[in-house]
Each structure stands twice: as structure tokens, then as C-alpha cells.
Amino acid sequence: MAEAWIRGDPVALDIAAREAARLLAQSRMPVIAGLGTDVEGARAAIALARHVGGAIDHMHAAALLRDLDVMRSGGMMTTTPNEARLRGDFLLLAGPGLIEAWAELPARLLQSGKPKRIVWLCGGTDADGIGASVERIDGELPVLLACLRARCAGRLVRATPKQIEALAADLAKATFGVAVWSAAALDELSVAMLCGLVADLNAATRFSGLPLAAGDNAAAVLQVCGWSAGLPPRTGFARGSGEHDSWRFEAKRLADSGEADCAVWISALSATPPAWTRAVPTIMLAHDAALCAKAAVAIAVGRPGIDHDAVAYFPATGTLVPSLAEQAAKAISVAGALEKIAALLPAGAPC
Amino acid sequence: MLTLLKGGHVVDPANGRDGIGDVWIHDGRIADPPPGGKADATHDVSGKMVLAGAIDIHSHIAGNNETMARLLLPELRAHPGHEGPRGSWTTRETGRLYAAMGFTTVVEPAVPPHHALQAHLELADIPIIDKAALTVLGNDDFTLNLLRRRESAQALADYIGWTLATSRGLGIKVINAGGAEAFKGNVRSFALDDEVPDYGVSSRTIVKALQHGVSAIGLPHPLHVHCNNLGVPGNVDTAIATIAAAEGVAMHLAHVQFYAYGKEGARGFSSAALKLAEAVNAAKNVTVDVGQVMFGQTVTISSDVLRQFNARNSASPKKWLIHDGDANGGGIVPYDYRPTNFHNAVQWAAGLELFLLITDPWRVFFTTDHPNGAPFTAYPDILALLMDRELRAQWIARLPKEAMEVTTLPAIGREYTWAEIATMTRAAPARLLGLKDRGHLGAGAIADIAVYAPNKDRAAMFRNAALVFKDGALVVRDGKVVRETYGRTLTAAAPRDHAIERRMVDYYRDRFGLTPDFMTVAERVLGERHSFETVPCRT
């Protein structure tokens, strides 16, 4: 397999890197997006964005920012998957998308660890086939959560569903309850209501939250952005230091509006294409050959943790962990490719 | 390469120097004057003060909790209090701002073993300075079970060694021993003789066992203790009881300003710094760092989850993160210390009282518990206050009178000398951490050097070092970084025992259904910027 392409034609890696550097150097507003990569790759992407005065965004930033917006506007209580498993005596699963977010959830949380009561609100088809030990309550999640929080706080609610009435009483009896959700499948108000419910319950008992991370190493990339940019994804560096604006620096909006005139798309973990519809000269760093075929420039990158050593978010612990490659493959890493491109950029770029 | 710093006022208490003289650097180390030697480069530092690079033993600069604080507070500027642009509270700025002040080694004091890799990734990204991590134990199931089952002291020592090696720590810290675990069991206050639910082990038992374990494996740095009851009026008794519990064995108490509180006065809150300082003065086995409070917006970051939970309603701005971790977890509560606030003014005074009333500069350390009492960027102002009673009087005059009445600060005339500053910020921390080639300017020491140009505005002098050398290379001139190097991360050469390795594999399999590989700080993934420097244990 070739290692790099220009408009679909195989070229040497150095030639592709030179063309990528040329596109970035002449760009007035580049966006570096996707960010489906490991810690070193994310670090290199942020460094490149600083260098060229571009913006950074992650393909799952919408979900990341939904949790983050709740936290940074009011607060949050969270715990680890292991505490949920070993200490939790009550699991409140909220909404669909939980298994999609964490395939091991049934095995690690529902079928092992401390025996626990499990209630799943609006689980949809996700909740099918999990087993009889899960009680299901269906309806409209925002409404159910609002009723539940109000009843837990002792407020009167017109027409509270009976199951919710009982659930409110039972939640207060939990000794260490854990609410589990995936922001990818919920709206921000539901996340806020659920986190508010958890906080309220701690007035008398212990309850915490377990937000499940979005895919493509989003949780790790968020941490890297935090420590090396001081800000989460959807941050721009056009004015030197980082500016965070979740509307302004959304990659899809930048591309579709024409504000971005060049894009770097990084998808080394899954074969996810960009979401924008307008044609933007794109430098593609992907493992998937099909993704590489159409881009202005493409470099085939290795899979983190398989083709090269990496650091990745590990859902079972909620931490960054080493992901060591069995044997180093030839394919260049995202960090390696980005550093190669950056080295070919003219000096004295915006900052 | 031979470099000469010529004619400065050299303050090097470890070697008894305090006067005009030269300092020679040979290839990154301090050297004796070469016979008839001619320097390749000479810096005329006449009229300037020449000190070893400063060492900060307790500053929260890296790890998941710090980064969650960054994400919680996108509105904060660089380092809280620093006049940088928004979004520059980054690992890079941390290294650059520390270096500009003449600091060359900084210890991140609260690394949970399960998050150690992230802490080291962040440390590796901090330029110029050398770094180290203290690993947190004492709220973890394994330690508590060992103590519940009354296993041998050797078993705990082996476990400490294993954890240090896995997390690449320089020392061990305990944070509200048992308190975070008790909070998971819905305990809302936790004192030295309270027992952790389900384990039946008291906080005192945990502290003493870890203290002896650390001593048994010969770690240079004694157990680093964050006591119970942080911030609670009357908690001076907790600190004094913890000092007594040390029973003559070495122990370091962290950010003791937060434990220097009495219940006197009309508001039931007063400075008890005098009482605490007397206890510290009398206990020669004990060292403390202060955790000075300064006024302004900051964010408190602590693995004392119980305390942070109890403080959540004082958050300013009103938002917070409370995380029940696998062991300690963390709590992040933004806070604005106001000079018009009675409690905050008492806290400010209590910290300065401790600095000034603890008589031995080898046993009191210079910290703000960054960013909990104040961001480290406030250090220059604190140093100026310690060296100038007139400046203190000016500050006191602007603070609530009733607050000053419940402290002894207005009556204290002591001013720190340069030798005392150099002891507290250089020589003593090096000794406390077991770093023989740091904190002094004797031949063979690492050439980490800070040069200051005396100025009536001492804070300006300390904020912008005239020259800073790291490993002999000039990295800062007039407070500006001129060269961005990468330093090393210091890690203890802890003894490793094969039996404990097998036991930990079994433990993680049974309890977590995982191998402990997930928590290993694998050097292969730390990137090219990273390097470890090993610090030997006592034999």
C-alpha cells in the first residue's frame, strides 16, 4: 500500500508533507479537526494549530462540550467505573447510547461487582436483552428527569408517573448510587437535570455520576487540549493565544461557511470522514485507504497502540493508559506526520 | 564550556557563603575556580544576588485534577492572578513562569497511582524546570485492607515500593488519611481518631503506618501529610495532635496555614498560628510548608474530596467538580480570596505569622499550595512581605481591623534575611527531598542558578530574575525566557520486591478484573521531551 497521495495519486511521504505544508502556509484560516488520535497526535495537532494560527476541533466535540458545558456552568459530581462497579448499590442508567459508548458496560457494571439495583430510564433498544435484573422506565427523558429531581427535592409535581414517584423514594435510600449517561445521546438539558439530581441527592446520601466518554479517544484529546492549550476543542489560535468558542471554532461550520480555506482531518482510530459538505482542500491523516483516496493530500498513518506505542483513554478505568504496540509497523504516526509537515512550514508564521 | 559569574553577592547557606565572590560553571555543574582558568563566557553580576535555583516542594502543576480545573474555568487567565491572555494556563506557561522567578525544581504533590501516567505526560510537557511527583496513598483499598488485617510492616513497605515504582514518584503523600474513603460511606467530618467505615482503621493508624513504611524503605522525603479537618475553625488541635502522633519520627505537614485556626473572637474564627508555630518549633522531627493565602481569584484543587465537598457552596464563581476516585479522587472549587473578607484576612495573616514565628528556616517551606492559597505567580509578593515589616504594615492597614485583632501579625517585627530566604527556598528543600546536588552552589552541584538585581520593589526583583541558569545554560534574562529547554523528572529508586508484584497482579485481577499494566508509567509513551533522573534511597 502507498504511504501518501496527492489528489489520489500515490507519492512519497516527503512530497505529500511538502504539499501539505504548502497548503497550510497559504491558508488564511486552517482548521485541524477530527483529532481521532492518541495523546502525542493531539499534542502535535495543537502545536501545529498554534504555528499556523488555525483552530482545533474533535469529531465528537459536540458530546464532549455537552458534559463540559454542564460542568463549567454549575458543577458536577463524578466517580470512576470501578467505584460504580464495586461500591455502587444503585445504578440509574439514563437514556440510550450507553452500550454504544461503552461496549463492556453490561459485563463490567451490570453483571459483576457489587449486587445492585439497576433502573434504566428511556434505554430504548439498548436496554433490550440486558436481562431481567434491569428495571425499565420509558417515556420522555427530559420530562422524567425533571419530575424525578422535583420529587427528590420534595416539590409537588402535577401528574408524576407512579414509577417515578417510587423511584424518587428509592434513590434517597441508595447508599452509593451512580447515574450513568452518554452525552452523545442526550441533550444538554437532560445532562444538566441529571447532574443536578445527583448533586441534590448528596444532601443526605451519597450519589455520583459516571459520564461515558465519546469515541475516537475524545476524552484523552480533551485532557491534552486542557493541559497544552488551557482550553477544550473548538479553540482557535488566529490571534496568538487560544480563544475558545464552541460555535465559532466548530470545524463543520468553519468549512461549510467558507471561513476555513484549508483543513487537516485526522482519523487514525476509526474510518470517520469529515461532516462538512463544502469542498475544502483537505490534508487527510487516516488509516483507512478509502478516506485517503479523495483528499488534496493524504498520508496513511498507523493505528495508535497497534502500529506504534500510544496513550489512550481507557473506559474501564476512566484514565489515560499506555497502549503499547506489539511490534512497530512502518506507518508513520499522526504526531510524526504532523511534525514532518510543521518542519516544512516557513518560519515566522502567526505565532 | 567554562562560565564565570563574576563578583556577585553569593548567598549559599549550605556551604556557609554569604558575601561577594565568583561562581564557576563547568558543563552544567558548579565547579571550583580553575587554577589560572579563563572562562569561555563571563557574566558580570556585581551588585546582584547569586543564589541556587529555587525548589518548590508543593505545587499542583500537573495531573488530571489540575487539567479538570483548567476545563472547569475557561474564564481564568494564564495562571490565576497572572496578567496573561486567557487560555494560557498551560504546562508550557507553568515552566516559563517558574523559570522567570528563578525556580528550577518543582514538586507536584498529589498524584493518584491510577492517574500517574497523565501526571507524567503533563510534567514532561513543562519546559525548563525539573519536576517530581508525590504519589498519594492512604485512601486506597489495598492499604486499608493491609491495616485492617494487621499485616506486617514489611508488606506495607513492599506495597509502597511497588506503587512508587509503578507511578514513578519521588515520595509518598497521604491526604486526609481515610477521609475520602469515609466520605464514600457518607461520613461528613473525619478526624484523626475516626475510623474508616467498613475497614475499622483510624486515620491515625493510616498515617503512622505510612510514615513508618516510608522510613523503612529509606525514602529521603518523609511522609508528606495533609491532615484531617482542613479549613475548620479550631483545627490547630488536629495539626498539633498529628505532630504529636509523629512521635519523633520524621514527618512533613503540608500547607499548615490551613490548620492554624482557632475559635477565638466574636466570630469564632481566629489565627492560632502562634500556638502551631510553638508546636513546630518544639518538634525537631517535623517540617512544614505554609500554604500562604494571597488575595485574588484562584481555584482550589485538592484530593481531600470530603473537604472540597463541604466547601462547594463557597465556590466563586458558583461551580465545582467533586470526583469520587478509585482512592482519593479530587475536588475542584474556585475561590476568590477578598481583602475585605474577615476570614480571608485572618488566613493571610496566619500564613505570614507561621513564616515569621517558626524560627528554623530549615524546617519551614515556602508554598502557597498553588493554586489553593494563591497561584505561584504570587510568590514574589510574599517574599517581599517576609523581608519588609513596613510593607506588611501597609497591607495590614488596609485589612479589616477586627481580623488583625485575632492574629499576632501586627506585633511581629522579624524580617527574613537573604540567607534565610536562600535556606527556606533552596538549601532546605534540597535536603528535605534528598537532592544532594541541588539547592546549593558548591562544586559538583547542578548549575541551577538564579541571579537577582536588588530593587526597592522586591516583588519585581523576584518576579523577573536578572539571569537564570538551568544545568549551566542561560534560560532567563531580565525575567524573559531566552531558551526553552526540557528538564528531568526526579523519581525515587524504590526497592522492588517480586512477591509483591505477583500479589498486585492477583489483587487487580480479583478486584478490578484488570492487570495493573494500565497504571504503569511506561517510559516508552512519555515522548522525547521526557527523561527521568533517579534519586537514591538511604541504605
Side-chain angles (χ1 to χ4, degrees), chain B residues 124-169:
Chain B
D125 267 359
I126 295 175
I128 307 176
I129 60 173
D130 290 336
K131 295 87 54 165
L134 301 183
T135 303
V136 179
L137 287 178
N139 277 288
D140 55 300
D141 170 74
F142 194 87
T143 296
L144 296 177
N145 260 323
L146 282 184
L147 299 176
R148 169 168 62 185
R149 291 198 294 258
R150 297 176 190 276
E151 288 200 38
S152 68
Q154 187 59 47
L156 182 62
D158 290 345
Y159 172 61
I160 292 172
W162 180 85
T163 308
L164 272 175
T166 304
S167 61
R168 303 308 300 259

CSV table of all heavy atoms in Angstrom, one decimal, chain B residues 124-169:
chain,number,residue,atom,x,y,z
B,124,ALA,N,6.1,16.1,31.7
B,124,ALA,CA,7.0,16.1,30.6
B,124,ALA,C,6.8,17.3,29.7
B,124,ALA,O,7.8,17.7,29.0
B,124,ALA,CB,6.8,14.8,29.8
B,125,ASP,N,5.7,17.8,29.7
B,125,ASP,CA,5.4,19.0,28.8
B,125,ASP,C,5.7,20.3,29.4
B,125,ASP,O,5.5,21.4,28.8
B,125,ASP,CB,3.9,19.0,28.4
B,125,ASP,CG,3.6,18.2,27.1
B,125,ASP,OD1,4.6,17.8,26.5
B,125,ASP,OD2,2.5,18.1,26.7
B,126,ILE,N,6.2,20.3,30.7
B,126,ILE,CA,6.5,21.5,31.4
B,126,ILE,C,8.0,21.8,31.1
B,126,ILE,O,8.9,21.0,31.4
B,126,ILE,CB,6.3,21.4,32.9
B,126,ILE,CG1,4.8,21.3,33.2
B,126,ILE,CG2,6.9,22.7,33.6
B,126,ILE,CD1,4.5,21.0,34.6
B,127,PRO,N,8.3,22.9,30.4
B,127,PRO,CA,9.7,23.1,29.9
B,127,PRO,C,10.6,23.7,31.1
B,127,PRO,O,10.0,24.2,32.1
B,127,PRO,CB,9.5,24.2,28.8
B,127,PRO,CG,8.3,24.9,29.1
B,127,PRO,CD,7.4,23.9,29.8
B,128,ILE,N,11.8,23.7,30.8
B,128,ILE,CA,12.9,24.3,31.6
B,128,ILE,C,13.2,23.7,32.9
B,128,ILE,O,14.2,23.2,33.2
B,128,ILE,CB,12.7,25.9,31.8
B,128,ILE,CG1,12.4,26.5,30.4
B,128,ILE,CG2,13.9,26.5,32.4
B,128,ILE,CD1,12.1,28.0,30.4
B,129,ILE,N,12.1,23.7,33.8
B,129,ILE,CA,12.4,23.2,35.2
B,129,ILE,C,12.5,21.7,35.3
B,129,ILE,O,12.0,21.0,34.4
B,129,ILE,CB,11.3,23.8,36.1
B,129,ILE,CG1,9.9,23.2,35.7
B,129,ILE,CG2,11.3,25.3,36.2
B,129,ILE,CD1,8.8,23.6,36.6
B,130,ASP,N,13.1,21.2,36.4
B,130,ASP,CA,13.0,19.8,36.7
B,130,ASP,C,11.7,19.6,37.6
B,130,ASP,O,11.2,20.6,38.2
B,130,ASP,CB,14.2,19.4,37.5
B,130,ASP,CG,15.4,19.3,36.6
B,130,ASP,OD1,15.3,19.2,35.4
B,130,ASP,OD2,16.5,19.4,37.2
B,131,LYS,N,11.2,18.4,37.5
B,131,LYS,CA,9.9,18.1,38.2
B,131,LYS,C,10.0,16.9,39.0
B,131,LYS,O,10.9,16.1,38.8
B,131,LYS,CB,8.8,17.9,37.1
B,131,LYS,CG,8.5,19.1,36.3
B,131,LYS,CD,9.3,19.3,35.0
B,131,LYS,CE,9.4,18.2,34.0
B,131,LYS,NZ,10.0,18.6,32.7
B,132,ALA,N,9.0,16.7,39.9
B,132,ALA,CA,8.9,15.4,40.6
B,132,ALA,C,7.4,15.3,41.0
B,132,ALA,O,6.7,16.3,41.0
B,132,ALA,CB,9.8,15.4,41.8
B,133,ALA,N,7.0,14.0,41.4
B,133,ALA,CA,5.7,13.8,41.8
B,133,ALA,C,5.7,13.1,43.1
B,133,ALA,O,6.5,12.2,43.4
B,133,ALA,CB,5.0,12.9,40.7
B,134,LEU,N,4.7,13.4,44.0
B,134,LEU,CA,4.5,12.6,45.2
B,134,LEU,C,3.3,11.8,44.9
B,134,LEU,O,2.2,12.2,44.4
B,134,LEU,CB,4.2,13.5,46.4
B,134,LEU,CG,5.4,14.5,46.8
B,134,LEU,CD1,5.0,15.2,48.1
B,134,LEU,CD2,6.7,13.7,47.0
B,135,THR,N,3.4,10.5,45.2
B,135,THR,CA,2.3,9.5,45.0
B,135,THR,C,1.4,9.5,46.2
B,135,THR,O,1.9,9.4,47.3
B,135,THR,CB,2.9,8.1,44.7
B,135,THR,OG1,3.8,8.3,43.6
B,135,THR,CG2,1.8,7.1,44.4
B,136,VAL,N,0.1,9.5,45.9
B,136,VAL,CA,-0.9,9.5,47.1
B,136,VAL,C,-1.3,8.1,47.5
B,136,VAL,O,-1.8,7.3,46.6
B,136,VAL,CB,-2.1,10.3,46.7
B,136,VAL,CG1,-3.1,10.4,47.8
B,136,VAL,CG2,-1.7,11.8,46.3
B,137,LEU,N,-1.2,7.8,48.7
B,137,LEU,CA,-1.7,6.6,49.3
B,137,LEU,C,-2.5,6.9,50.6
B,137,LEU,O,-2.4,8.0,51.1
B,137,LEU,CB,-0.6,5.6,49.6
B,137,LEU,CG,0.1,4.9,48.5
B,137,LEU,CD1,1.3,4.0,49.0
B,137,LEU,CD2,-0.9,4.0,47.7
B,138,GLY,N,-3.2,5.9,51.1
B,138,GLY,CA,-3.9,6.1,52.4
B,138,GLY,C,-5.4,6.2,52.3
B,138,GLY,O,-6.1,6.2,53.3
B,139,ASN,N,-5.9,6.3,51.1
B,139,ASN,CA,-7.4,6.1,50.9
B,139,ASN,C,-7.7,5.0,50.0
B,139,ASN,O,-8.8,4.9,49.5
B,139,ASN,CB,-8.0,7.4,50.4
B,139,ASN,CG,-8.3,8.4,51.5
B,139,ASN,OD1,-9.2,8.2,52.3
B,139,ASN,ND2,-7.5,9.5,51.5
B,140,ASP,N,-6.7,4.2,49.7
B,140,ASP,CA,-6.8,3.1,48.8
B,140,ASP,C,-7.1,1.8,49.5
B,140,ASP,O,-6.7,1.6,50.6
B,140,ASP,CB,-5.5,2.9,48.0
B,140,ASP,CG,-4.3,2.8,48.8
B,140,ASP,OD1,-4.0,3.7,49.7
B,140,ASP,OD2,-3.7,1.7,48.8
B,141,ASP,N,-7.9,1.0,48.8
B,141,ASP,CA,-8.4,-0.2,49.4
B,141,ASP,C,-7.3,-1.2,49.8
B,141,ASP,O,-7.4,-1.8,50.9
B,141,ASP,CB,-9.3,-0.9,48.4
B,141,ASP,CG,-9.7,-2.3,48.8
B,141,ASP,OD1,-10.5,-2.5,49.7
B,141,ASP,OD2,-9.1,-3.3,48.2
B,142,PHE,N,-6.2,-1.2,49.0
B,142,PHE,CA,-5.1,-2.1,49.4
B,142,PHE,C,-4.5,-1.8,50.7
B,142,PHE,O,-4.3,-2.7,51.6
B,142,PHE,CB,-4.1,-2.2,48.2
B,142,PHE,CG,-3.2,-3.4,48.3
B,142,PHE,CD1,-3.5,-4.6,47.8
B,142,PHE,CD2,-2.0,-3.3,49.0
B,142,PHE,CE1,-2.7,-5.7,47.9
B,142,PHE,CE2,-1.1,-4.4,49.1
B,142,PHE,CZ,-1.5,-5.6,48.6
B,143,THR,N,-4.1,-0.5,50.9
B,143,THR,CA,-3.5,-0.1,52.1
B,143,THR,C,-4.5,-0.3,53.3
B,143,THR,O,-4.1,-0.9,54.3
B,143,THR,CB,-3.2,1.4,52.1
B,143,THR,OG1,-2.2,1.6,51.1
B,143,THR,CG2,-2.6,1.9,53.4
B,144,LEU,N,-5.7,0.1,53.1
B,144,LEU,CA,-6.7,-0.1,54.2
B,144,LEU,C,-6.9,-1.5,54.6
B,144,LEU,O,-7.0,-1.9,55.8
B,144,LEU,CB,-8.0,0.6,53.9
B,144,LEU,CG,-7.9,2.1,53.6
B,144,LEU,CD1,-9.2,2.7,53.2
B,144,LEU,CD2,-7.4,2.8,54.9
B,145,ASN,N,-6.9,-2.4,53.6
B,145,ASN,CA,-7.0,-3.8,53.9
B,145,ASN,C,-5.8,-4.4,54.6
B,145,ASN,O,-5.9,-5.2,55.5
B,145,ASN,CB,-7.3,-4.6,52.6
B,145,ASN,CG,-8.7,-4.9,52.4
B,145,ASN,OD1,-9.4,-5.2,53.3
B,145,ASN,ND2,-9.2,-4.8,51.2
B,146,LEU,N,-4.6,-4.0,54.2
B,146,LEU,CA,-3.4,-4.4,54.9
B,146,LEU,C,-3.5,-4.1,56.4
B,146,LEU,O,-3.2,-4.9,57.2
B,146,LEU,CB,-2.2,-3.7,54.3
B,146,LEU,CG,-1.6,-4.2,53.0
B,146,LEU,CD1,-0.3,-3.4,52.7
B,146,LEU,CD2,-1.3,-5.7,53.1
B,147,LEU,N,-4.0,-2.8,56.6
B,147,LEU,CA,-4.0,-2.4,58.0
B,147,LEU,C,-5.2,-3.1,58.8
B,147,LEU,O,-5.0,-3.5,59.9
B,147,LEU,CB,-4.2,-0.9,58.1
B,147,LEU,CG,-3.1,-0.1,57.4
B,147,LEU,CD1,-3.3,1.4,57.4
B,147,LEU,CD2,-1.7,-0.4,58.1
B,148,ARG,N,-6.3,-3.3,58.1
B,148,ARG,CA,-7.4,-4.0,58.8
B,148,ARG,C,-7.0,-5.4,59.2
B,148,ARG,O,-7.3,-5.9,60.2
B,148,ARG,CB,-8.6,-4.1,57.8
B,148,ARG,CG,-9.7,-5.0,58.3
B,148,ARG,CD,-11.0,-4.9,57.6
B,148,ARG,NE,-10.9,-5.2,56.2
B,148,ARG,CZ,-11.8,-5.1,55.3
B,148,ARG,NH1,-13.0,-4.6,55.7
B,148,ARG,NH2,-11.7,-5.4,54.0
B,149,ARG,N,-6.2,-6.0,58.3
B,149,ARG,CA,-5.8,-7.4,58.5
B,149,ARG,C,-4.5,-7.5,59.4
B,149,ARG,O,-4.0,-8.6,59.6
B,149,ARG,CB,-5.6,-8.2,57.2
B,149,ARG,CG,-6.8,-8.4,56.4
B,149,ARG,CD,-6.6,-9.5,55.4
B,149,ARG,NE,-5.7,-9.1,54.3
B,149,ARG,CZ,-6.1,-8.6,53.1
B,149,ARG,NH1,-7.4,-8.6,52.8
B,149,ARG,NH2,-5.2,-8.3,52.3
B,150,ARG,N,-4.1,-6.3,59.8
B,150,ARG,CA,-2.9,-6.2,60.6
B,150,ARG,C,-1.7,-7.0,60.0
B,150,ARG,O,-1.0,-7.7,60.7
B,150,ARG,CB,-3.1,-6.7,62.0
B,150,ARG,CG,-4.2,-5.9,62.8
B,150,ARG,CD,-4.5,-6.4,64.1
B,150,ARG,NE,-5.6,-5.8,64.7
B,150,ARG,CZ,-5.6,-4.6,65.4
B,150,ARG,NH1,-4.4,-4.0,65.5
B,150,ARG,NH2,-6.7,-4.1,65.9
B,151,GLU,N,-1.5,-6.8,58.7
B,151,GLU,CA,-0.4,-7.4,58.1
B,151,GLU,C,0.9,-6.8,58.5
B,151,GLU,O,0.9,-5.7,59.1
B,151,GLU,CB,-0.6,-7.4,56.5
B,151,GLU,CG,-1.7,-8.3,56.1
B,151,GLU,CD,-1.5,-8.7,54.6
B,151,GLU,OE1,-0.4,-8.8,54.1
B,151,GLU,OE2,-2.6,-8.7,53.9
B,152,SER,N,2.0,-7.4,58.1
B,152,SER,CA,3.3,-6.9,58.6
B,152,SER,C,3.7,-5.6,58.0
B,152,SER,O,3.2,-5.2,57.0
B,152,SER,CB,4.4,-7.9,58.2
B,152,SER,OG,4.6,-7.9,56.8
B,153,ALA,N,4.5,-4.9,58.8
B,153,ALA,CA,5.0,-3.6,58.3
B,153,ALA,C,5.7,-3.8,57.0
B,153,ALA,O,5.7,-2.9,56.1
B,153,ALA,CB,5.9,-2.9,59.3
B,154,GLN,N,6.4,-5.0,56.8
B,154,GLN,CA,7.1,-5.2,55.6
B,154,GLN,C,6.2,-5.3,54.4
B,154,GLN,O,6.5,-4.8,53.3
B,154,GLN,CB,7.9,-6.6,55.7
B,154,GLN,CG,8.8,-6.8,54.5
B,154,GLN,CD,9.9,-5.8,54.4
B,154,GLN,OE1,10.5,-5.3,55.3
B,154,GLN,NE2,10.0,-5.3,53.1
B,155,ALA,N,5.0,-5.8,54.6
B,155,ALA,CA,4.0,-5.9,53.5
B,155,ALA,C,3.7,-4.5,53.0
B,155,ALA,O,3.6,-4.2,51.8
B,155,ALA,CB,2.8,-6.7,53.9
B,156,LEU,N,3.4,-3.6,53.9
B,156,LEU,CA,3.1,-2.2,53.5
B,156,LEU,C,4.3,-1.6,52.8
B,156,LEU,O,4.2,-0.9,51.8
B,156,LEU,CB,2.7,-1.4,54.7
B,156,LEU,CG,2.3,0.0,54.4
B,156,LEU,CD1,1.1,0.1,53.5
B,156,LEU,CD2,1.9,0.8,55.7
B,157,ALA,N,5.5,-1.8,53.4
B,157,ALA,CA,6.7,-1.2,52.8
B,157,ALA,C,6.9,-1.7,51.4
B,157,ALA,O,7.2,-1.0,50.4
B,157,ALA,CB,8.0,-1.6,53.6
B,158,ASP,N,6.6,-3.0,51.1
B,158,ASP,CA,6.7,-3.6,49.8
B,158,ASP,C,5.7,-2.9,48.8
B,158,ASP,O,6.0,-2.6,47.7
B,158,ASP,CB,6.5,-5.1,49.8
B,158,ASP,CG,7.6,-5.8,50.5
B,158,ASP,OD1,8.7,-5.2,50.7
B,158,ASP,OD2,7.4,-7.0,50.8
B,159,TYR,N,4.5,-2.7,49.4
B,159,TYR,CA,3.5,-2.1,48.6
B,159,TYR,C,3.8,-0.6,48.2
B,159,TYR,O,3.6,-0.2,47.1
B,159,TYR,CB,2.1,-2.2,49.3
B,159,TYR,CG,1.0,-1.4,48.7
B,159,TYR,CD1,0.6,-1.7,47.4
B,159,TYR,CD2,0.4,-0.4,49.3
B,159,TYR,CE1,-0.5,-1.0,46.8
B,159,TYR,CE2,-0.7,0.3,48.8
B,159,TYR,CZ,-1.1,0.0,47.5
B,159,TYR,OH,-2.1,0.7,46.9
B,160,ILE,N,4.4,0.1,49.2
B,160,ILE,CA,4.8,1.5,48.9
B,160,ILE,C,5.9,1.5,47.8
B,160,ILE,O,5.8,2.3,46.9
B,160,ILE,CB,5.3,2.1,50.2
B,160,ILE,CG1,4.2,2.3,51.2
B,160,ILE,CG2,6.0,3.4,49.9
B,160,ILE,CD1,4.7,2.8,52.6
B,161,GLY,N,6.8,0.5,47.9
B,161,GLY,CA,7.8,0.5,46.9
B,161,GLY,C,7.3,0.2,45.5
B,161,GLY,O,7.6,0.8,44.5
B,162,TRP,N,6.3,-0.8,45.5
B,162,TRP,CA,5.7,-1.1,44.2
B,162,TRP,C,4.9,0.1,43.6
B,162,TRP,O,5.0,0.4,42.4
B,162,TRP,CB,4.7,-2.3,44.4
B,162,TRP,CG,4.0,-2.7,43.2
B,162,TRP,CD1,4.5,-3.6,42.2
B,162,TRP,CD2,2.7,-2.3,42.7
B,162,TRP,NE1,3.6,-3.7,41.2
B,162,TRP,CE2,2.5,-2.9,41.5
B,162,TRP,CE3,1.8,-1.4,43.2
B,162,TRP,CZ2,1.3,-2.8,40.8
B,162,TRP,CZ3,0.6,-1.2,42.5
B,162,TRP,CH2,0.4,-1.9,41.3
B,163,THR,N,4.2,0.8,44.5
B,163,THR,CA,3.4,1.9,44.0
B,163,THR,C,4.3,3.0,43.5
B,163,THR,O,4.0,3.6,42.5
B,163,THR,CB,2.5,2.4,45.1
B,163,THR,OG1,1.8,1.3,45.7
B,163,THR,CG2,1.5,3.4,44.6
B,164,LEU,N,5.4,3.3,44.2
B,164,LEU,CA,6.3,4.3,43.8
B,164,LEU,C,6.9,4.0,42.4
B,164,LEU,O,7.1,4.8,41.6
B,164,LEU,CB,7.4,4.5,44.8
B,164,LEU,CG,7.2,5.4,45.9
B,164,LEU,CD1,8.4,5.4,46.9
B,164,LEU,CD2,7.0,6.9,45.4
B,165,ALA,N,7.3,2.7,42.3
B,165,ALA,CA,7.9,2.3,41.0
B,165,ALA,C,6.9,2.4,39.9
B,165,ALA,O,7.3,2.8,38.8
B,165,ALA,CB,8.5,0.9,41.2
B,166,THR,N,5.7,2.0,40.1
B,166,THR,CA,4.7,2.0,39.1
B,166,THR,C,4.3,3.4,38.7
B,166,THR,O,4.1,3.7,37.5
B,166,THR,CB,3.4,1.3,39.6
B,166,THR,OG1,3.8,0.0,40.0
B,166,THR,CG2,2.3,1.2,38.6
B,167,SER,N,4.2,4.3,39.7
B,167,SER,CA,3.8,5.7,39.4
B,167,SER,C,4.9,6.6,39.2
B,167,SER,O,4.7,7.8,39.0
B,167,SER,CB,2.9,6.1,40.6
B,167,SER,OG,3.7,6.1,41.8
B,168,ARG,N,6.2,6.1,39.4
B,168,ARG,CA,7.4,6.9,39.3
B,168,ARG,C,7.4,8.2,40.2
B,168,ARG,O,7.6,9.3,39.7
B,168,ARG,CB,7.6,7.3,37.8
B,168,ARG,CG,7.7,6.1,36.9
B,168,ARG,CD,8.7,5.0,37.3
B,168,ARG,NE,10.1,5.4,37.4
B,168,ARG,CZ,11.0,5.2,36.5
B,168,ARG,NH1,10.8,4.6,35.4
B,168,ARG,NH2,12.3,5.6,36.7
B,169,GLY,N,7.1,8.0,41.4
B,169,GLY,CA,7.0,9.1,42.4
B,169,GLY,C,8.4,9.3,43.1
B,169,GLY,O,9.2,8.4,43.1
